[in-house]
Amino acid sequence: MPPAFIRHFREAAPYIDYLRGKTLVVGIAGSLLTPERFRPIAADLALMAGLGIRLVLVYGSRSQISAACAAQGIEPRYHLGRRITDDTVIEIAKQVCGRLNYEIEAALSVGLSHSPQRGRRLRVVSGNFVCARPLGIIDGIDMGYTGRVRKTDAEAVQSCLDSGAVVLISPLAASLGGKTFNLAMTDIAEAAAAALQAEKLVFLIEEEGILDEKGRRLSNLSSEEAEGRLKNGGILPQQRGLLRTALNAVDKGVQRCQILSGLADGDLIGELFTRSGTGTAVAQAPFMRIRPAEGSDIPDLIALIRPLEAQGILVHRSREYLETHIGGFSVLEHDRQIYGCVSLKTFAGAPESGELACLAVSPEAQDGGYGELLLQHLIGRARSLRLKKLFALSTQTGDWFAERGFQTASVADLPAARQAEYRSSGRQSAVFVLGLDDAGQAG
């Protein structure tokens, strides 16, 4: 078996397990709904449904409506980025969306042959899940049959999802008065994700994600970071509305909004099932944090440190030891997955000395600078306890500590209690020490 496949599968496994049974709302730009572009997307959506992910699909139709209008010699009219939908255009929109509905269903049926549910029928349900209301007159301009979401029938959508169906929502919706209105795909997707309290809201667009003013993709944005970029002009102007939609969704309880390209084959799978992702993820809180370890983290800690123990890099720590000393550990999380840990040990009779212990970073994340972050975190924690010296014992990673300001020391420099442990272990580890008064220069 190719090592790369094993590595990628292991990386994806926690995300697959986490998303099973969760609801994802996926908004698909109309420009992606040509047969050649949508076929690989449909295959990946069918694969996700086969993995037990509950899918709500919302599609756009702007490019198709514009093409149909152009074919009839109708000049499109817009105000504030929204199409002005008159009597003729709403009839064209009905024809366009009816055709798109059937084409999407057909593509999903083909995609099913590549999913874990091969041989079973993937049910796609569409209906009047959205109630609309008119935009009305804006700046003296009658927007006609252009509307906004009044309400999403979350109970009906949940019922369909509970039955195992994929829910498909078009950009057309009826009002309480029985009129049909043309809505923005992004508005419908945001409202549906909020009403369903979806785990994720995903937008598939042509760009690779949210781009900064120089056209570079932004991988992760907290709400605070996104607000700052909207205020200071740190993103492309044409993406401001989409980023505001993402912020609205996470402000309403959606855990993540992920924006990525639907043009590159496999980007949807890469965004959802890998640590690095392929697009832009927006969330309320920062994606990476270091926090005190909890008892529920012990299985993840064991999975993290056991391979290093087997290689002789770390000393063995039993589950009982971890349960007793969990208060001394800190863990590094990225997008709810634990990728690193470190422990601070203190010793009776040596109130100014501490030991940096059990520093471990997952092999999948060793290029992310997480070891450095854990070291700086521990230095800050040691200072808060008014420690003056920080020791580290290493059999194979001494250069790493030396490069970060640790000096070679001897066993005699260790606290007396630690000297006894050292001699009984028989590991003959090299000893390093960092004076915390100078630790600001580390790294």
Side-chain angles (χ1 to χ4, degrees):
M1 187 66 67
F5 171 79
I6 299 298
R7 184 173 65 255
H8 295 323
F9 187 81
R10 285 172 175 167
E11 181 182 358
Y15 295 99
I16 294 172
D17 181 65
Y18 179 78
L19 289 174
R20 186 178 294 112
K22 299 293 197 306
T23 298
L24 270 63
V25 176
V26 182
I28 308 167
S31 59
L32 301 176
L33 295 177
T34 61
E36 64 277 7
R37 287 183 172 183
F38 187 62
R39 191 176 299 113
I41 296 173
D44 287 345
L45 291 170
L47 171 62
M48 291 161 56
L51 293 173
I53 299 172
R54 297 153 62 94
L55 292 177
V56 177
L57 310 181
V58 184
Y59 65 89
S61 59
R62 173 175 284 206
S63 57
Q64 287 84 355
I65 293 174
S66 295
C69 287
Q72 297 185 30
I74 300 171
E75 188 72 24
R77 294 185 298 143
Y78 296 93
H79 181 60
L80 298 179
R82 298 294 300 272
R83 185 190 302 276
I84 299 171
T85 310
D86 60 21
D87 293 305
T88 302
V89 173
I90 193 63
E91 292 304 317
I92 291 173
K94 290 177 182 178
Q95 296 172 19
V96 164
C97 291
R99 184 178 69 253
L100 286 174
N101 248 58
Y102 285 113
E103 291 175 351
I104 292 170
E105 290 177 5
L108 289 170
S109 297
V110 173
L112 185 63
S113 64
H114 304 290
S115 82
Q117 291 184 324
R118 183 172 55 189
R120 296 171 55 190
R121 181 169 174 264
L122 179 65
R123 291 195 303 115
V124 181
V125 176
S126 56
N128 59 338
F129 298 113
V130 177
C131 180
R133 61 179 177 177
L135 275 180
I137 298 173
I138 302 176
D139 300 327
I141 298 174
D142 187 351
M143 300 299 291
Y145 292 95
T146 301
R148 64 181 61 170
V149 177
R150 178 187 291 273
K151 185 180 180 182
T152 302
D153 190 344
E155 184 177 350
V157 175
Q158 293 282 20
S159 178
C160 294
L161 294 174
D162 290 343
S163 73
V166 172
V167 173
L168 181 63
I169 302 179
S170 90
L172 297 183
S175 69
L176 293 176
K179 293 183 178 179
T180 300
F181 288 89
N182 181 22
L183 281 63
M185 174 273 288
T186 53
D187 291 349
I188 299 173
E190 176 201 327
L196 296 166
Q197 286 296 280
E199 183 68 21
K200 293 178 183 288
L201 169 59
V202 180
F203 285 116
L204 296 177
I205 60 174
E206 292 196 23
E207 294 79 16
E208 58 180 333
I210 296 296
L211 309 179
D212 67 12
E213 67 277 11
K214 296 182 179 179
R216 298 170 299 193
R217 176 174 66 92
L218 302 168
S219 297
N220 299 311
L221 289 171
S222 67
S223 289
E224 183 178 358
E225 292 167 339
E227 289 285 5
R229 287 188 171 271
L230 286 172
K231 181 178 179 181
N232 300 322
I235 61 166
L236 291 181
Q238 60 268 35
Q239 291 192 324
R240 293 178 63 85
L242 182 58
L243 183 55
R244 173 55 62 190
T245 297
L247 280 172
N248 290 343
V250 298
D251 284 345
K252 295 173 183 176
V254 179
Q255 294 298 309
R256 294 282 188 276
C257 182
Q258 290 167 270
I259 302 163
L260 63 144
S261 172
L263 296 177
D265 187 13
D267 269 12
L268 179 58
I269 298 299
E271 174 65 17
L272 295 177
F273 300 112
T274 66
R275 179 177 59 87
S276 57
T278 59
T280 300
V282 181
Q284 274 282 0
F287 281 78
M288 194 284 296
R289 64 170 180 156
I290 298 175
R291 60 168 176 80
E294 303 170 351
S296 59
D297 297 322
I298 289 177
D300 289 316
L301 289 176
I302 291 174
L304 185 65
I305 66 178
R306 285 293 183 265
L308 299 175
E309 293 174 357
Q311 298 172 48
I313 297 173
L314 294 179
V315 66
H316 176 71
R317 291 170 175 83
S318 66
R319 177 181 286 271
E320 291 73 21
Y321 176 91
L322 293 173
E323 291 173 348
T324 303
H325 297 86
I326 194 67
F329 280 80
S330 299
V331 295
L332 184 149
E333 280 187 331
H334 179 93
D335 200 14
R336 293 182 295 258
Q337 301 292 326
I338 291 177
Y339 284 99
C341 69
V342 71
S343 172
L344 177 61
K345 295 175 64 176
T346 56
F347 303 93
E352 295 187 347
S353 297
E355 180 183 351
L356 181 156
C358 201
L359 176 60
V361 175
S362 171
E364 290 83 12
Q366 288 180 352
D367 59 347
Y370 288 169
E372 188 74 38
L373 293 172
L374 286 163
L375 171 60
Q376 294 303 323
H377 169 78
L378 201 78
I379 289 172
R381 188 176 173 194
R383 281 177 169 158
S384 70
L385 296 175
R386 302 184 183 279
L387 302 183
K388 301 297 184 183
K389 294 180 179 180
L390 193 61
F391 291 95
L393 277 65
S394 175
T395 57
Q396 301 179 34
T397 57
D399 287 348
W400 191 88
F401 289 106
E403 291 167 2
R404 285 153 180 81
F406 283 77
Q407 303 297 315
T408 302
S410 69
V411 177
D413 294 316
L414 294 173
R418 188 64 179 93
Q419 291 182 36
E421 293 178 8
Y422 180 96
R423 293 189 177 94
S424 64
S425 72
R427 286 170 55 83
Q428 300 300 310
S429 302
V431 180
F432 299 88
V433 64
L434 179 70
L436 293 182
D437 290 339
D438 302 321
Q441 306 302 317

